[in-house]
Amino acid sequence: MISTRVGESIPPNTKHAVSVCLPTWESTVGYEEGKPEVIESLTTGYPRFFIHKTIQRLCQVLQDKYAKENETCLCFPSYEVAKRCREYIAVKTVSTNNNVSAPKVRILQLATSKPVTPEEAKWKRESKVAVVFVDRQYWPLMKQYWQHSGEILSSRLAEYVLHELFIVEKSSKTRQDRESRVEVRDEEEFIEQRFGRNLDFSYSDTAKSLIKRRIATKVVDGEADSQEEPPRTTEQFTEHVVDAEDVTPGVASTVPAEPCHEPSSPATRTSLQVNPDKDVYLFPSGMASIFTAHRLLLHLDAQRVQRSRLSQHSTPLTSRQSSGIQSPLPRELIGYGEPYKKTVMFGFPYTDTLSILEKFNHTYFLGSGDLQAMDELKRILHSGEQILALFMEAPSNPLLKMGDLIELRELANSFGFYIVVDDTAGGFVNIDVLPYADIVCSSLTKIFSGDSNVIAGSAVLNPQSKLHNFAQTFMEQQYEDCLWCEDALYLERNSRDFVARTLIVNQNAERLLNKVLIPQEGKLFKKIYYPSLTSEETKKNYDAVRGHQGGYGGLFSLTFYNMNTAKAFFNALQLCKGPSLGTNFTLACPYAIIAHYQELDRVAKYGVESNLVRVSVGLEPEHELCDVFQIAVDEASKNI
């Protein structure tokens, strides 16, 4: 079922959806410009950009109960995360306003009660949330931390906390409002049980273990699973009713789980042995995994900085203090510029990855991500400057460019920096990048889940990396499992057939491009970006790390000769349109508009043109996809 109404969830009627319908070019522009008719229609949105309405309600209740005059608040999944948000607010306030003291930021930690019986443990779990209170003028900084770091509160967790702590208490809401919330929750629980998806919280740890084993199995290239299940198609999206006695613990599904093997195979590219328990980590979003990888590297560099400071001073100093500036910032501040080494962003990335590198430290942005960028990187390295790490996407989003990971690995070994790869656009099945990376980060929200109803991420440590021992120690000391149990249950169910779904998405994308779109390149389309089409350089670099059963993925981008043609093509597409990618259904968006509306001229310099349309291919029957895109091609051709 296609979402067609501005602001409705994608998929329709999905309470915890991670995409929202913006069905026309004009509605997307209206969203970016904050037009009331669009903003007021939003029922949901991508969770790092749109604060879910359940989270909004929880924050309003907490604000009514605990806020001081002119304070606002936002909830985070742990006290440590809240402290990092507080630090970010302090750093950005002081750095942009000389001689201004850091604002007062209060943190309130709340906890729900523990289950007292095994039966209660099936639906009850102790959970903690940390609430950051700050003067309203600093709300944009708090929201920035939420968006950039990805250390966000799950909307399902907010729903649970709201119910457990406040559903029976008096608040600013009327009794009728409270009763309606109870009725809604009761109805949802009934639907869950009716459709065989009853949530057994006690199964969540097992679900997380299964997820990590699936990732560990597929993050290194191996033979196809002999018992691989056939992929779902769009006709199979609706859950089937099952009898209560047939429901397994956790979240039942009509799709059996793919067999999990230990991540070893005689056909693997290397002898990598990924330990699911010690090398794979789960996060509340893909961006949180990248943020944690960056934090890990900064903590490694902090050892060098500390040694340097101790050799010059009897007590550790912050960078501002060492330069003679009295600072209100915490003495243990790590990152945020000198004296910490710079990172390198290799290639044009998803917007918040670059924001992490720039706003939490400093970085070289080598946006072309090609041979020119490689030459610039070599110039930096040969100048004698030491860099901390290189971050890259494999391939990049939205231009589907692929850097030379093999040469980058050789440079990293020679010059002593580390490599973090985000393989979200490529995926575990299609590419095998762990041998060349120290850490591989992924958004599990995308093809791994597919159902567009849960947000999560993962980080995998390369056991052969020189960083491995430090990384494991860092994780043992500082990693927090902030993936809420309900989200883990949904993710485990959704990911049972992710390999098979990936294979059919690859096939659908290739055939759609070959039959309908490639013949229009140079006529309707100015350029088609896809790993096999972007450039000979990209194809060579992609093929060098391509898995033995991997394809080129389901993501491609189109640019046009003029804006009117782009608008006509996009508006004529009869499919779901909104943010995100890797969904089981085909999804499109005018990417530059939705991701870079305030900086269109800047990103155009890197090839991200304002008329670019990004498409994420799904599981629909091939002939249906071809028909839908042919209609859009025919309509847009009228504007040539």
Side-chain angles (χ1 to χ4, degrees):
M1 184 176 179
I2 297 174
S3 300
T4 58
R5 179 168 45 85
V6 174
E8 74 173 315
S9 66
I10 300 178
N13 304 313
T14 302
K15 187 173 184 181
H16 299 282
V18 300
S19 189
V20 62
C21 181
L22 297 169
T24 64
W25 198 283
E26 293 74 19
S27 63
T28 307
V29 172
Y31 169 77
E32 290 300 320
E33 294 181 346
K35 291 186 176 179
E37 62 269 26
V38 177
I39 300 302
E40 293 172 5
S41 299
L42 299 179
T43 60
T44 188
Y46 197 75
R48 287 190 303 101
F49 293 88
F50 179 89
I51 308 296
H52 194 278
K53 291 195 172 182
T54 303
I55 300 174
Q56 292 181 35
R57 287 199 298 272
L58 175 59
C59 290
Q60 186 61 55
V61 171
L62 293 167
Q63 186 173 308
D64 292 343
K65 289 176 68 68
Y66 302 113
K68 296 181 179 179
E69 185 178 0
N70 205 42
E71 278 188 335
T72 187
C73 71
L74 188 56
C75 298
F76 292 91
S78 81
Y79 182 65
E80 293 300 319
V81 173
K83 287 199 299 183
R84 288 194 284 273
C85 177
R86 179 174 63 188
E87 178 183 86
Y88 181 80
I89 294 171
V91 170
K92 295 306 175 183
T93 302
V94 172
S95 64
T96 56
N97 300 279
N98 291 332
N99 300 320
V100 173
S101 298
K104 183 177 182 179
V105 181
R106 299 189 302 118
I107 300 176
L108 172 68
Q109 189 166 20
L110 300 173
T112 62
S113 59
K114 298 180 180 180
V116 295
T117 66
E119 186 61 31
E120 263 197 348
K122 293 181 178 181
W123 57 269
K124 192 180 188 71
R125 172 165 289 206
E126 181 185 26
S127 59
K128 296 179 180 179
V129 295
V131 193
V132 176
F133 291 90
V134 69
D135 190 278
R136 293 179 184 276
Q137 67 177 306
Y138 300 108
W139 165 259
L141 290 174
M142 186 158 58
K143 180 62 162 45
Q144 278 180 25
Y145 183 85
W146 172 281
Q147 175 183 323
H148 298 328
S149 75
E151 296 186 318
I152 64 176
L153 189 76
S154 160
S155 55
R156 289 186 175 92
L157 173 55
E159 183 178 67
Y160 178 79
V161 171
L162 191 62
H163 180 268
E164 292 297 304
L165 292 180
F166 301 112
I167 202 69
V168 295
E169 292 189 16
K170 291 182 179 181
S171 68
S172 60
K173 305 297 182 183
T174 65
R175 178 177 179 81
Q176 182 179 0
D177 289 336
R178 295 199 306 275
E179 290 175 348
S180 68
R181 290 202 298 272
V182 176
E183 291 171 0
V184 168
R185 185 170 177 85
D186 287 345
E187 180 184 5
E188 289 174 349
E189 289 173 347
F190 170 78
I191 292 173
E192 290 291 344
Q193 293 176 4
R194 179 71 178 85
F195 284 88
R197 301 198 303 263
N198 51 328
L199 303 179
D200 184 344
F201 285 11
S202 64
Y203 181 66
S204 62
D205 290 340
T206 301
K208 290 180 180 181
S209 178
L210 288 171
I211 292 167
K212 291 195 289 185
R213 288 177 62 194
R214 285 173 197 158
I215 294 169
T217 301
K218 290 302 177 186
V219 78
V220 288
D221 190 25
E223 294 290 344
D225 290 328
S226 60
Q227 301 179 40
E228 201 169 86
E229 289 298 321
R232 285 178 280 172
T233 63
T234 49
E235 288 84 355
Q236 296 170 295
F237 285 169
T238 305
E239 297 288 341
H240 300 287
V241 178
V242 296
D243 294 330
E245 58 267 25
D246 292 331
V247 178
T248 55
V251 186
S253 172
T254 57
V255 183
E258 292 172 349
C260 285
H261 308 292
E262 291 303 316
S264 59
S265 167
T268 56
R269 188 189 302 269
T270 71
S271 59
L272 285 176
Q273 300 289 317
V274 178
N275 185 319
D277 298 318
K278 294 184 178 181
D279 295 328
V280 182
Y281 297 87
L282 303 179
F283 297 88
S285 70
M287 199 53 59
S289 70
I290 295 173
F291 182 64
T292 301
H294 188 236
R295 285 181 49 234
L296 184 157
L297 290 161
L298 286 174
H299 276 75
L300 175 64
D301 198 34
Q303 296 180 347
R304 176 190 62 83
V305 172
Q306 185 79 346
R307 289 193 299 269
S308 176
R309 288 172 177 166
L310 287 173
S311 67
Q312 301 176 45
H313 305 279
S314 58
T315 58
L317 300 175
T318 68
S319 58
R320 290 174 62 87
Q321 288 171 327
S322 63
S323 62
I325 302 173
Q326 187 62 32
S327 173
L329 301 177
R331 295 166 66 88
E332 69 276 10
L333 183 67
I334 292 177
Y336 294 101
E338 294 181 349
Y340 287 84
K341 295 178 184 177
K342 282 187 177 181
T343 53
V344 169
M345 183 69 244
F346 193 85
F348 189 92
Y350 180 70
T351 178
D352 285 305
T353 300
L354 183 58
S355 294
I356 286 173
L357 303 187
E358 291 180 335
K359 294 189 177 184
F360 293 88
N361 195 34
H362 51 178
T363 192
Y364 286 110
F365 179 30
L366 309 183
S368 65
D370 53 16
L371 287 174
Q372 179 184 347
M374 188 72 78
D375 289 341
E376 178 63 14
L377 173 62
K378 291 176 182 177
R379 186 196 65 77
I380 294 169
L381 295 172
H382 286 293
S383 73
E385 179 179 358
Q386 291 184 324
I387 65 169
L388 176 59
L390 180 143
F391 286 70
M392 69 171 288
E393 295 178 348
S396 68
N397 173 20
L399 296 181
L400 287 307
K401 297 177 77 172
M402 187 74 179
D404 188 342
L405 253 179
I406 296 175
E407 184 173 6
L408 288 171
R409 181 72 264 167
E410 292 172 353
L411 289 173
N413 292 342
S414 297
F415 289 91
F417 63 88
Y418 301 99
I419 296 178
V420 178
V421 176
D422 176 358
D423 71 345
T424 298
F428 301 133
V429 177
N430 290 327
I431 55 176
D432 177 25
V433 297
L434 188 63
Y436 312 102
D438 297 282
I439 303 175
V440 173
C441 298
S442 308
S443 173
L444 304 181
T445 312
K446 310 305 192 296
I447 191 66
F448 188 80
S449 169
D451 279 348
S452 190
N453 62 358
V454 62
I455 182 169
S458 67
V460 180
L461 309 180
N462 183 339
Q464 293 184 346
S465 165
K466 293 180 180 179
L467 182 66
H468 188 252
N469 288 341
F470 177 85
Q472 281 197 334
T473 300
F474 174 87
M475 289 299 196
E476 289 171 3
Q477 295 174 351
Q478 298 215 25
Y479 170 75
E480 293 180 287
D481 182 358
C482 292
L483 182 62
W484 174 235
C485 60
E486 289 178 278
D487 292 316
L489 292 170
Y490 275 90
L491 184 61
E492 190 280 320
R493 178 197 67 184
N494 295 351
S495 62
R496 292 175 184 178
D497 62 342
F498 86 94
V499 174
R501 285 186 287 107
T502 299
L503 298 180
I504 200 167
V505 163
N506 292 344
Q507 177 179 288
N508 275 352
E510 290 271 6
R511 292 181 177 176
L512 171 63
L513 286 163
N514 289 329
K515 289 185 177 181
V516 180
L517 303 180
I518 290 177
Q520 294 295 323
E521 190 169 21
K523 301 174 184 177
L524 177 63
F525 306 123
K526 181 179 178 181
K527 173 70 178 173
I528 299 176
Y529 293 94
Y530 189 62
S532 61
L533 303 172
T534 297
S535 68
E536 291 184 6
E537 179 186 344
T538 281
K539 186 176 187 303
K540 176 184 176 182
N541 294 337
Y542 188 99
D543 286 343
V545 297
R546 184 178 171 188
H548 76 276
Q549 65 177 140
Y552 295 103
L555 195 68
F556 64 83
S557 294
L558 309 167
T559 57
F560 299 77
Y561 289 101
N562 63 74
M563 182 62 77
N564 288 335
T565 305
K567 290 179 180 178
F569 177 85
F570 181 77
N571 290 346
L573 284 173
Q574 297 301 307
L575 45 79
C576 288
K577 287 177 272 188
S580 198
L581 58 90
T583 47
N584 291 335
F585 46 87
T586 302
L587 186 62
C589 72
Y591 182 83
I593 301 298
I594 205 167
H596 299 284
Y597 190 67
Q598 303 302 324
E599 52 177 5
L600 290 174
D601 290 341
R602 172 177 171 266
V603 300
K605 297 176 182 177
Y606 297 98
V608 183
E609 300 182 34
S610 58
N611 62 36
L612 185 145
V613 173
R614 189 188 70 183
V615 177
S616 172
V617 176
L619 302 177
E620 297 90 347
E622 174 194 328
H623 69 277
E624 291 183 9
L625 278 174
C626 289
D627 289 346
V628 165
F629 278 85
Q630 187 62 58
I631 290 171
V633 165
D634 294 341
E635 185 63 30
S637 297
K638 299 175 184 177
N639 290 269
I640 296 178

